[in-house]
Amino acid sequence: MSIPTWEQYAGKWAPLGLVWSIALGLVLFCTGCATYSDHLKESREALSEGQVDTAHSSLNAHLADVVEASGPVANSNYPLLLVERGTLEMFRGNFKAASSDFVEADPMLEVLDLRNRTGDEIAKFLFSGTVGPYVMPAHEKGMLNTLNLLSFLAQGKLSAARVEARRYQINRTFYNNDGEFGEAGNALGTLLAGYAFERSGKESIAQRYYGELGELSGVTAPEEVTGPMADGGILVVSAGRVPHKTPKRMPIGLAMTVAASHAPPSDGANMLAAQGLVTWVNFTELLATEGWVHSPKAYLDGKELQLEPWVNMSLRTEQQFEADTPMMMGAAISRTITRAAAGTAASMATRQDGWGALISLLVQGTMVAADTPDTRSWSMLPGYFWVAALPEHKGQSRLTVDALDPYGVKIRMYEDVLSGGAARPLAIPVFLP
Amino acid sequence: MLGKTSMSGILKWGIVVLVVWSLGCGPSYVRDTDVEGLDEDAMSTGLDRSDLDRLFGENLESLFGSALARSWKQAPGDKMPTVAIEPFLNETSEHIDSQLEALLSKLETQLINGGDVAVLEDPAQAQFLITGKAYDAAEKTDDARRVQYFLFMKVVDTSSGAVRWQNEAALTKALLN
């Protein structure tokens, strides 16, 4: 093969020049383009080892990088990272800081709910899974209001807790009214909303929430809830974390098998698979996130409290991922076909087999590098929640929470002396790493 | 030649676009004196200064035009009426507690500087009690989130329990797609 001169092919490269510019732009755009889960890996692993402060520092550093790069704007990962940091503040018991982050993030995420996403959706099918800001799914929206409600109750701020309860209700109504979205409600948010109104003297509103608890599907809820919930406060214990997303590459043949169970494969995909080429599809898989401890037990003045399993967010996350898989896989296969077509176009534009093959590989390789799977999700969200009603007590009480470490050894995870009467916190969140 | 020009031209434009984009048009901090109309646009569905001024203005106009305010003006100097203001309740779906505190401060300032009443810290000592409540009707659809605010205020005569004045001001904020 003789290497042609630049002048020989300049005229034929005009359309290819446009392809190059786009491809080069994508590569430069994605330089250092680690996925979201890559950026949070250190934080996630630190939390799984019980090092909450290390997890917080690591996430804070990444948040600072995002702010420096694109500013504290809704149209970036900033709102999601605020939610992640707020969750870590809950783990640290810094409820004021947690609420500050949640209150800032919530309206930004609301803007994204209403944003016209047509362009983003098209680009996801052509170029990359991470185009456009993260749009929180319904169950995460509901949990955002829930955790903020819990945080305000822990601070004794009943007025702010009622505000959050109303925001929770608005989201529940919104997502339930639109058949396209999943359900934003959860048993913990409904319980805490009722409790906030009950402690505010609005018993009729409280009973409406308590009565709804049995209607929520897919969660563990008590069969019967009657009367005032907890005169001495509510203890909420969490452990584990929801599964997180991680990038995965799979051969197109396997991808089509996965997609076939949800939607028929396209001609383009069949053609690529039939050629026997090793064409890769960039996709996302869900991996379990192990917590440091499990099986919590709570005691008040040495007497064991009945911790009721209340919400299984890990299961909800898995269900949401399963529901999203057809669209995500379809988009991933579409991106693969787009890459192959771009490569073929580049090859045909040059009209020389040697150069054509090289340029085709270069264009496809560039687009593969730019095709970043979307691994964004609320990865610090606890996986399991338990609830116990604390009995009313006028004097001080000692509250302790124990759990088992990875080796099955019991560890004292939380200990505090609770004031009695009106000075006792309305809610006591204990988030175990 | 045409092809050579097109090729180099396209590549040059591509590089220029990338350089300009990489320099970035990032956010920057400004003052109201730097940017005309900075306070005019709505930036959230919460209550900003313009909203507070409007709600406050409507309620205060009603209060100072009322028979109660006229009776305050006519009271002899040594028997100036005493007023206390209770914190306004937030019964909305927005975190506007700090804005309601600001509203209370504005009201307090106006009453003190008006000179017709004496403002007391302790409600138990005051002849009149001013209370307020903000509530909303909030809705959300695919294309919009709308919050209709109502600020309700009243003045209660603490000796008789009679409501001597009340008024409600309203405004709407929305996030539209």
Side-chain angles (χ1 to χ4, degrees):
Chain A
M1 176 185 85
S2 64
I3 298 175
T5 62
W6 176 270
E7 288 76 15
Q8 277 182 297
Y9 291 101
K12 297 169 190 170
W13 282 20
L16 181 62
L18 188 59
V19 175
W20 268 96
S21 298
I22 294 171
L24 185 60
L26 285 172
V27 170
L28 290 177
F29 180 78
C30 285
T31 298
C33 208
T35 66
Y36 178 84
S37 67
D38 293 333
H39 285 301
L40 259 59
K41 186 179 179 211
E42 184 182 326
S43 190
R44 211 170 43 241
E45 287 177 351
L47 194 59
S48 292
E49 292 169 6
Q51 297 169 23
V52 181
D53 289 338
T54 304
H56 181 269
S57 298
S58 173
L59 189 135
N60 231 0
H62 177 55
L63 183 60
D65 290 340
V66 168
V67 170
E68 189 180 336
S70 54
V73 295
N75 193 20
S76 70
N77 286 341
Y78 180 69
L80 178 57
L81 288 168
L82 275 182
V83 172
E84 302 271 33
R85 187 175 70 181
T87 312
L88 289 178
E89 296 290 9
M90 297 288 288
F91 277 95
R92 298 168 89 205
N94 295 341
F95 304 119
K96 188 174 176 184
S99 287
S100 175
D101 283 342
F102 291 150
V103 167
E104 184 179 354
D106 196 1
M108 287 185 174
L109 293 164
E110 199 158 60
V111 169
L112 298 175
D113 280 346
L114 305 180
R115 186 171 174 268
N116 188 331
R117 300 198 288 270
T118 305
D120 295 341
E121 295 300 321
I122 292 172
K124 279 181 180 170
F125 274 75
L126 292 179
F127 299 119
S128 172
T130 55
V131 171
Y134 178 68
V135 179
M136 217 175 224
H139 73 281
E140 286 186 359
K141 285 304 293 292
M143 280 307 294
L144 175 58
N145 295 129
T146 299
L147 291 198
N148 207 9
L149 218 178
L150 178 59
S151 178
F152 280 125
L153 285 172
Q155 297 172 65
K157 294 182 176 178
L158 265 178
S159 175
R162 291 196 304 273
V163 169
E164 211 53 43
R166 294 185 196 103
R167 294 181 74 83
Y168 168 74
Q169 182 57 32
I170 289 169
N171 271 327
R172 278 181 44 181
T173 307
F174 172 64
Y175 286 107
N176 278 334
N177 279 347
D178 189 330
E180 185 181 342
F181 297 104
E183 185 162 333
N186 65 82
L188 183 61
T190 303
L191 171 70
L192 295 177
Y195 187 61
F197 283 107
E198 181 201 327
R199 294 304 290 260
S200 301
K202 299 176 190 292
E203 306 236 341
S204 60
I205 300 176
Q207 283 302 321
R208 213 160 61 218
Y209 281 103
Y210 293 152
E212 288 173 9
L213 279 175
E215 296 172 14
L216 291 167
S217 62
V219 298
T220 307
E223 288 182 4
E224 192 175 310
V225 177
T226 57
M229 278 302 298
D231 294 322
I234 286 184
L235 172 66
V236 178
V237 178
S238 78
R241 266 181 317 292
V242 297
H244 67 278
K245 294 177 184 173
T246 191
K248 180 175 180 170
R249 284 200 175 147
M250 62 172 68
I252 191 166
L254 177 59
M256 286 169 59
T257 304
V258 172
S261 62
H262 301 286
S266 68
D267 290 342
N270 281 330
M271 180 194 72
L272 285 174
Q275 285 176 354
L277 298 171
V278 180
T279 305
W280 296 95
V281 175
N282 289 344
F283 191 58
T284 308
E285 68 174 345
L286 208 59
L287 284 186
T289 310
E290 294 298 327
W292 185 45
V293 296
H294 61 93
S295 306
K297 285 190 187 297
Y299 304 87
L300 193 67
D301 292 328
K303 189 177 172 185
E304 186 172 350
L305 293 168
Q306 186 65 30
L307 275 179
E308 297 282 351
W310 210 260
V311 174
N312 184 345
M313 263 302 132
S314 289
L315 177 64
R316 292 288 292 274
T317 302
E318 288 166 8
Q319 290 169 342
Q320 184 66 48
F321 184 81
E322 175 70 21
D324 291 340
T325 292
M327 200 278 289
M328 289 196 303
M329 185 58 82
I333 293 174
S334 173
R335 293 196 296 271
T336 302
I337 296 169
T338 304
R339 289 198 296 274
T344 304
S347 173
M348 288 171 66
T350 62
R351 299 180 187 172
Q352 286 285 327
D353 290 339
W355 275 111
L358 181 66
I359 289 163
S360 170
L361 285 173
L362 201 57
V363 168
Q364 289 192 70
T366 317
M367 293 182 76
V368 165
D371 179 8
T372 311
D374 191 0
T375 59
R376 294 173 294 186
S377 68
W378 185 354
S379 55
M380 301 296 166
L381 177 63
Y384 306 93
F385 291 86
W386 293 263
V387 169
L390 300 178
E392 191 176 14
H393 197 277
K394 288 189 179 149
Q396 290 183 339
S397 301
R398 178 175 296 277
L399 175 68
T400 55
V401 178
D402 298 337
L404 300 181
D405 76 358
Y407 305 102
V409 176
K410 191 161 88 171
I411 303 177
R412 174 63 45 90
M413 296 298 301
Y414 177 88
E415 187 168 2
D416 197 12
V417 174
L418 305 180
S419 303
R424 177 170 287 185
L426 296 167
I428 302 153
V430 178
F431 280 29
L432 305 178
Chain B
M1 285 297 289
L2 182 63
K4 188 174 179 178
T5 304
S6 297
M7 174 58 183
S8 63
I10 288 169
L11 279 179
K12 278 179 193 170
W13 270 111
I15 291 169
V16 166
V17 167
L18 286 171
V19 168
V20 169
W21 175 84
S22 66
L23 288 174
C25 301
S28 58
Y29 295 103
V30 297
R31 290 189 183 83
D32 57 349
T33 48
D34 299 334
V35 178
E36 196 176 324
L38 184 62
D39 289 322
E40 288 172 14
D41 293 336
M43 295 182 74
S44 73
T45 50
L47 294 178
D48 61 19
R49 195 173 71 194
S50 298
D51 302 322
L52 291 175
D53 286 346
R54 183 171 143 192
L55 289 171
F56 176 73
E58 281 184 35
N59 273 314
L60 223 57
E61 187 180 340
S62 170
L63 175 61
F64 289 142
S66 68
L68 176 65
R70 284 196 293 277
S71 72
W72 287 347
K73 263 191 184 316
Q74 291 162 3
D78 58 340
K79 290 186 179 176
M80 186 181 281
T82 55
V83 168
I85 311 172
E86 281 202 327
F88 291 169
L89 295 178
N90 178 11
E91 300 292 346
T92 72
S93 60
E94 296 283 338
H95 290 287
I96 56 168
D97 291 72
S98 57
Q99 290 95 320
L100 290 179
E101 283 174 20
L103 202 67
L104 191 148
S105 297
K106 279 170 77 75
L107 177 60
E108 204 169 65
T109 303
Q110 191 90 4
L111 288 173
I112 291 170
N113 293 345
D116 293 328
V117 297
V119 177
L120 305 183
E121 291 283 332
D122 183 4
Q125 310 263 339
Q127 291 171 281
F128 299 96
L129 192 61
I130 300 179
T131 65
K133 178 172 72 172
Y135 58 100
D136 70 0
E139 291 172 293
K140 186 173 173 179
T141 65
D142 286 351
D143 300 313
R145 166 161 159 79
R146 184 182 69 185
V147 184
Q148 296 169 317
Y149 287 101
F150 304 90
L151 179 65
F152 175 77
M153 287 171 59
K154 67 180 178 184
V155 177
V156 176
D157 185 332
T158 57
S159 60
S160 63
V163 177
R164 298 290 301 276
W165 168 84
Q166 66 181 31
N167 190 65
E168 184 179 88
L171 71 83
T172 300
K173 298 286 288 286
L175 174 63
L176 303 175
N177 188 357

